[in-house]
Structure formats: C-alpha cells, structure tokens
C-alpha cells in the first residue's frame, strides 16, 4: 500500500497560528534579530521566509544585511550589541557564513537564551545532558513530524543518516531522549542499507538527491526527508520519493515537509526565548 504523505505545510500552519494567538496575548512583541552576511541566494530566500513568518505571527523582526567582506570583529560587535539589547529576544545569524569568518566563534558569542536556532555550544551541550533549553528548529521539526503519525517512539529502531551538529546529531539525541534505539549513519558508514532497512523511523539529512531507494527502507517505516537539492531546476529530497512511497508507511515530501515545519519551530523557539528572558 502506498505511504501516507505527511503534510508538513498543514501542521506548520497550525503551529504558526498557535504562535500568533499566544503572541497576541502578550503586552510586548517578541523580537527576532535576523543577520544575513553576503549575498548567498539560498540564504536570502531563507531569511526572507523567516522575516515573513515573524510578521505573520505578530512578532517584531530587525534585519541586518551585512556585506560579504565584513570582518569577524564587526560581526562579533553586532552580536554583542544584540545580546545587550533587552528589546531583542532572539538572534539568528544565517549560516553558512563566508569562509573568512569562524562560524563556531560567532555561534558561541550568541547568548544561549537568545539562541533561537539552538546552535550555541551551551544549548547543544544541554541537549547532550537531557537538559533541553532551546532545541535546533530542524531537529524539533523532525520529531514533531514523527509524532504526528507515531504515538510511541520508545523502543523503536531509529536511524538518522547524517551527523551534522545542526541536524543529524540533534535529531538523534532527541530520539534517544524519547527512548528510541538511535543509530547515526554518515559518509563513512559501511553498507548503509543494512542499517536503514532495519529502521522503524528513518530520518535522512545528507543533501544527496535520491540517496535512499525503495530497497533501503523497511516496510511501513516512518521516513522523514530533511535533504534539499536542486535537480533540473526542481527542489528534491534525499529520498527517492516515487519508489520509497511504495514501501514506507509514512513519508514527508520535499518541498512541503521538514522545510515549513522548521520555519514554524523557529517561531515557536522565538516565543520560548521571549519567555526565558532573564528578568532584569
Ligand atoms: P552537512 O553537509 O553538514 O551534513 C551532511 C551529512 O551527510 C554528513 O554528516 C555526512 O557524513 C553525511 N553523508 C554525506 N554523504 C553520505 C552518504 N553517501 N551516506 C551517508 N551519509 C552521508 O549537511 P546538513 O547541514 O546536516 O544538511 C543536510 C541536508 O539537509 C542538506 O540538504 C540541507 O540543505 C538540508 N537541510 C534542510 C533543512 C530544512 O529545513 N528542510 C534544514 C537544514 C538542513
């Protein structure tokens, strides 16, 4: 039987509506500072979406478009200014940054309670310690999509393909917290299929179009496709959608799956950051 397609767009809309409603009850608007360095076209698109989502939910958004050749000190100065501004509740520096800027240094400079991306070492460390604070939005999105169709993650075999610090590892940690038996596969994994074929829950975050084929997926599995690639002008995921839908139980589409959910989770994180702000 063909897989049920998980409509990430629809679930995301509901989350954004709920954020909007919660924001409407606040005296002060949560405000996001969005920092974009350079002219990477994909980054510009993402930042435009995030700005639009903020406004849609009634949140404030200050956007900083900085030149590609900005030096590290000037960027650090801006982050420090935003850290010290009590009217700014969330700070997001769009990645990737130009090569001459040390991304880890910039991430580390954002105050953890304003880190709506959940990428700072403190927030990632909190995840490792099961002491979650602000969680990376894409990882939250994957868990919410899984939970929309699977009411018990505990005891399931969950396989995450991809081990980046912003997607693969945080997703695996969240699955582990929910008592799944979590396995992480990566570019050096031998016989990927042996692992993926055993997964009740399969999350793929690689960036290689069509990497996961029908014969790599367990019948009835929940498959979450995080990957984004452009093939012949079309956006596609890491999962070979047409063949895998014949065997999976549930499958997210690309576009319309993890992408919109990530955006919704970012706004939810902004609201959380607003609530977590230290009382001065
Ligand atoms: P990354 O390049 O940092 O990590 C890719 C990972 O894939 C690495 O850990 C690598 O070991 C692994 N890998 C590479 N080739 C492999 C192979 N043949 N078999 C198994 N593993 C392999 O990328 P990332 O930042 O984690 O993003 C992954 C993908 O997800 C990208 O396509 C990115 O655009 C997309 N993404 C989507 C969203 C969203 O909101 N939808 C958010 C973040 C990232």
């Amino acid at each position: 039987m063909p897989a049920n397609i998980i409509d990430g767009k629809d679930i995301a809309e509901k989350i954004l509506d709920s954020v909007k409603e919660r924001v409407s009850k606040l005296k002060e608007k949560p405000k996001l500072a969005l920092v974009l360095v350079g002219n990477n076209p994909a980054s510009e698109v993402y930042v435009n979406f995030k700005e639009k989502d903020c406004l849609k939910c009634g949140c404030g958004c200050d956007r900083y478009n900085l030149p590609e050749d900005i030096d590290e000190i000037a960027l650090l100065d801006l982050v420090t200014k935003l850290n010290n501004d009590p009217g700014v509740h969330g700070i997001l520096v769009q990645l990737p940054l130009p090569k001459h800027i040390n991304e880890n240094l910039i991430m580390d400079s954002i105050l953890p309670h304003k880190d709506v991306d959940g990428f700072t070492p403190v927030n990632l460390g909190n995840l490792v310690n099961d002491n979650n604070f602000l969680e990376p939005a894409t990882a939250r999105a994957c868990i919410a999509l899984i939970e929309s169709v699977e009411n018990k993650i505990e005891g399931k075999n969950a396989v995450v393909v991809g081990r980046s610090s912003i997607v693969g590892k945080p997703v695996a940690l969240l699955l582990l917290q929910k008592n799944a038996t979590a396995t992480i596969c990566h570019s050096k994994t031998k016989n990927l299929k042996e692992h993926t074929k055993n997964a009740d829950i399969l999350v793929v975050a690689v960036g290689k179009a069509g990497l996961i084929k029908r014969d790599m997926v367990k019948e009835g599995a929940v498959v979450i496709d995080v990957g984004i690639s452009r093939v012949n002008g079309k956006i596609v995921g890491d999962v070979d959608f047409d063949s895998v839908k014949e065997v999976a139980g549930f499958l997210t589409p690309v576009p319309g799956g993890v992408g919109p959910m990530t955006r919704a989770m970012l706004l939810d994180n902004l609201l959380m950051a607003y609530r977590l702000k230290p009382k001065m």
Side-chain angles (χ1 to χ4, degrees):
M1 211 170 58
N4 291 297
I5 307 307
I6 307 175
D7 189 344
K9 228 171 140 185
D10 184 56
I11 307 171
E13 277 304 318
K14 292 190 175 108
I15 294 170
L16 288 176
D17 285 347
S18 137
V19 171
K20 187 176 174 184
E21 202 203 317
R22 284 177 281 156
V23 168
S24 71
K25 293 185 181 135
L26 300 172
K27 275 199 203 122
E28 185 193 8
K29 277 187 194 173
K31 196 204 285 182
L32 177 66
L34 260 176
V35 181
L36 174 65
V37 181
N39 308 307
N40 178 326
S43 293
E44 265 182 55
V45 171
Y46 294 138
V47 167
N48 290 344
F49 274 138
K50 289 166 190 175
E51 188 176 18
K52 220 170 101 192
D53 291 338
C54 278
L55 303 178
K56 192 171 162 188
C57 291
C59 296
C61 182
D62 287 347
R63 182 163 164 169
Y64 298 83
N65 293 308
L66 305 175
E68 179 86 21
D69 62 355
I70 189 170
D71 68 42
E72 211 168 68
I73 300 289
L75 185 53
L76 282 170
D77 282 348
L78 173 63
V79 173
T80 305
K81 192 182 118 205
L82 299 170
N83 278 339
N84 293 331
D85 183 344
V88 170
H89 306 99
I91 302 170
L92 189 151
V93 179
Q94 183 67 40
L95 301 181
L97 289 170
K99 288 207 168 35
H100 67 279
I101 294 178
N102 180 338
E103 272 184 10
N104 286 334
L105 186 75
I106 302 300
M107 287 301 114
D108 203 4
S109 70
I110 299 172
L111 280 176
H113 68 269
K114 294 194 178 190
D115 168 31
V116 285
D117 252 342
F119 292 168
T120 60
V122 170
N123 282 329
L124 289 173
N126 283 329
L127 213 56
V128 173
N129 285 333
D130 296 340
N131 182 29
N132 303 12
F133 194 51
L134 288 163
E135 301 166 358
T138 304
R140 278 194 73 194
C142 291
I143 299 298
L145 288 165
I146 296 165
E147 287 184 328
S148 74
V149 296
E150 177 65 82
N151 54 23
K152 198 163 175 248
I153 292 178
E154 181 168 324
K156 295 280 187 316
N157 282 334
V159 172
V160 179
V161 189
R163 60 172 163 187
S164 72
S165 299
I166 60 171
V167 190
K169 282 182 201 153
V171 174
L173 286 168
L174 289 177
L175 286 164
L176 206 54
Q177 285 180 4
K178 293 190 177 284
N179 294 322
T181 302
T183 304
I184 303 182
C185 299
H186 47 79
S187 57
K188 307 287 181 221
T189 297
K190 293 204 169 81
N191 201 349
L192 182 61
K193 178 178 161 183
E194 205 174 85
H195 298 278
T196 57
K197 188 84 189 153
N198 196 30
D200 304 306
I201 297 167
L202 178 60
V203 180
V204 195
V206 172
K208 290 208 163 125
L211 174 75
I212 302 296
K213 307 265 190 286
R214 178 192 173 124
D215 66 335
M216 298 169 81
V217 175
K218 183 175 176 177
E219 191 151 355
V222 178
V223 181
I224 307 295
D225 191 354
V226 184
I228 302 174
S229 303
R230 191 173 278 274
V231 177
N232 301 328
K234 238 183 101 186
I235 301 288
V236 296
D238 289 340
V239 174
D240 181 28
F241 187 85
D242 288 337
S243 74
V244 169
K245 81 171 187 317
E246 297 305 321
V247 60
F250 297 91
L251 174 60
T252 59
V254 178
V258 176
M261 277 297 277
T262 296
R263 285 167 49 194
M265 288 306 183
L266 176 70
L267 265 292
D268 199 59
N269 274 358
L270 177 62
L271 194 51
M272 212 178 286
Y274 172 86
R275 296 215 160 101
L276 292 169
K277 70 182 173 197
K279 307 275 174 279
M280 308 265 187

